Amino acid sequence: MEPISDKQRNNVNIYFFSQASEELVLPEDKKWPFLLRYPISSFGICLGVSSQAILWKTLATSKSMSFLHISLTVNLALWCISVALMVTVFLIYSLKVIYYFEAVRREYCHSIRVNFFFAPWIASLFLVLGVPPLVAKILHSAFWYVLMTPIFCLELKIYGQWMSGGQRRLSMVANPSDHLSIVGNFVGALLGASMGLKEGPIFFFAVGLAHYMILLVTLYQRLPTSETLPKELHPVFFLFVAPPSVASMAWAQIQGEFDYGSRIAYFIALFLYFSLAVRINFFRGFRFSLAWWAYTFPMTGASIATIRYSNEVTNLVTQIMSVVLSGISTFTVIALLITTIHHAFVLQDLFPNDIAIAISEKRSETGKKQCHLRSGSSNTKDIEASLKPATSTG
């Protein structure tokens, strides 16, 4: 990535910070600087890979899967890859925060992108859950408090908007990516309970359960006036599977056994998994993008929950389900990782111009708000000229 001069950055910022009365944002026909094209949804890759570290740790340590004779070395390798990937993605996005804070603010105000601000913290929870025994057998509970604090702060903001946010209330903005704002509660409850904590995990489990039920009903009964999710984002529908999968494991950890409460949550996840898997045409007909990583984490969560269930109900059926779902999950992650690398470094089209956050509002003569893309101005040539040195970056 080539360095961007202060003059170039200022030129971009001036035009990117469009006011509500303007039509113009950034030129659509020129490639923007790399950091402006780098979305918060990139953390979805971290979710997919780090959850695999947990999966293979579970496969290696579960008594019902002992016949596979899986070494913990696989978990160690995946965990190290996950840490390296997390650090890389975090550092790059930190540069975006520093140099293009307005772009980050627009992502935070976006009804879908805002949910991915939970992803760095959820991925970090995954890294703690998946830490190899060779690295650390016991982790201090301080990790839990540090990672759950930003999740709690984000929830105060977003859940409050769902209740009283006007245009941001849940009935207006509900979409499948909202499950990311829910699942953090259950992942936190799972980690906290595994560390021996009591009240904190129950608190987050209760908050997650209450809002999950509300979100599930809202998504099933979306108003006709609600915005339709673009076809390119259909993979995020698989996030329906994530909360009940993790909730089943979290409640089992809190209770000390995979009891009826855990089984109810697990069966809900399993049904949602199969109901989405059979809708093949719903997930076809659109080009590859980072949204495809939404398949990975829910699939892996369902696989881990199945293994936990098979530990409690050990028979041929549960063992076969565990192996099959784990195989599908691992194959999906490997395929997406290869495809992502190919699009990023060979085709160089993984990060197109981020039109989703380059939209400004303009009031029409009738008083209604309309969205416009930048189509031209007397200064468009100046902007394009300022962007040219950065167009050769990934």
Side-chain angles (χ1 to χ4, degrees), residues 168-199:
R168 292 182 180 272
R169 63 185 183 273
L170 186 59
S171 60
M172 297 292 292
V173 300
N175 64 84
S177 69
D178 288 325
H179 286 108
L180 282 174
S181 66
I182 301 293
V183 77
N185 292 288
F186 298 131
V187 178
L190 174 60
L191 176 60
S194 66
M195 290 180 165
L197 302 176
K198 298 294 183 181
E199 301 305 315

Side-chain angles (χ1 to χ4, degrees), residues 10-40:
N10 290 337
N11 284 339
V12 174
N13 285 340
I14 289 172
Y15 291 102
F16 196 83
F17 298 179
S18 60
Q19 301 296 323
S21 60
E22 293 179 345
E23 288 186 20
L24 309 179
V25 200
L26 283 170
E28 188 180 359
D29 57 342
K30 296 291 183 180
K31 185 178 284 189
W32 304 351
F34 172 72
L35 292 177
L36 274 179
R37 293 182 282 115
Y38 194 80
I40 185 67

Side-chain angles (χ1 to χ4, degrees), residues 31-220:
K31 185 178 284 189
W32 304 351
F34 172 72
L35 292 177
L36 274 179
R37 293 182 282 115
Y38 194 80
I40 185 67
S41 54
S42 299
F43 282 99
I45 304 175
C46 301
L47 288 175
V49 178
S50 58
S51 60
Q52 280 291 302
I54 303 175
L55 172 62
W56 285 87
K57 180 180 180 179
T58 307
L59 285 170
T61 57
S62 297
K63 60 180 182 180
S64 64
M65 297 288 104
S66 59
F67 67 93
L68 294 175
H69 304 290
I70 294 176
S71 172
L72 280 169
T73 305
V74 181
N75 163 243
L76 176 62
L78 286 170
W79 188 80
C80 292
I81 293 172
S82 301
V83 171
L85 183 62
M86 182 67 182
V87 171
T88 301
V89 174
F90 184 82
L91 288 177
I92 295 176
Y93 199 79
S94 296
L95 291 176
K96 182 175 182 177
V97 173
I98 295 171
Y99 290 109
Y100 297 111
F101 182 77
E102 177 64 15
V104 176
R105 187 189 69 80
R106 289 187 177 223
E107 286 193 290
Y108 182 76
C109 293
H110 193 275
S111 60
I112 295 176
R113 297 284 183 86
V114 65
N115 297 297
F116 283 91
F117 281 87
F118 287 90
W121 312 110
I122 297 174
S124 299
L125 291 171
F126 285 168
L127 290 176
V128 178
L129 279 168
V131 62
L134 297 174
V135 175
K137 292 185 177 180
I138 300 176
L139 293 173
H140 198 278
S141 59
F143 283 100
W144 186 82
Y145 290 100
V146 170
L147 295 176
M148 293 308 295
T149 298
I151 290 179
F152 179 71
C153 294
L154 283 170
E155 289 176 346
L156 287 178
K157 175 68 173 179
I158 293 177
Y159 293 173
Q161 291 177 339
W162 284 1
M163 287 189 291
S164 57
Q167 293 298 316
R168 292 182 180 272
R169 63 185 183 273
L170 186 59
S171 60
M172 297 292 292
V173 300
N175 64 84
S177 69
D178 288 325
H179 286 108
L180 282 174
S181 66
I182 301 293
V183 77
N185 292 288
F186 298 131
V187 178
L190 174 60
L191 176 60
S194 66
M195 290 180 165
L197 302 176
K198 298 294 183 181
E199 301 305 315
I202 295 176
F203 168 80
F204 279 102
F205 187 92
V207 172
L209 181 61
H211 288 86
Y212 173 68
M213 292 188 294
I214 296 170
L215 177 62
L216 186 65
V217 172
T218 304
L219 289 174
Y220 264 83

Side-chain angles (χ1 to χ4, degrees), residues 42 59 238 251 261 271 278 289 312 326 387:
S42 299
L59 285 170
F238 251 84
W251 186 248
F271 173 79
V278 298
S289 69
E312 199 72 23
S326 298
L387 290 175

Side-chain angles (χ1 to χ4, degrees), residues 276-292:
L276 289 169
V278 298
R279 301 190 64 192
I280 299 177
N281 290 332
F282 188 71
F283 299 100
R284 295 173 57 186
F286 46 89
R287 66 185 296 273
F288 176 80
S289 69
L290 288 174
W292 285 34

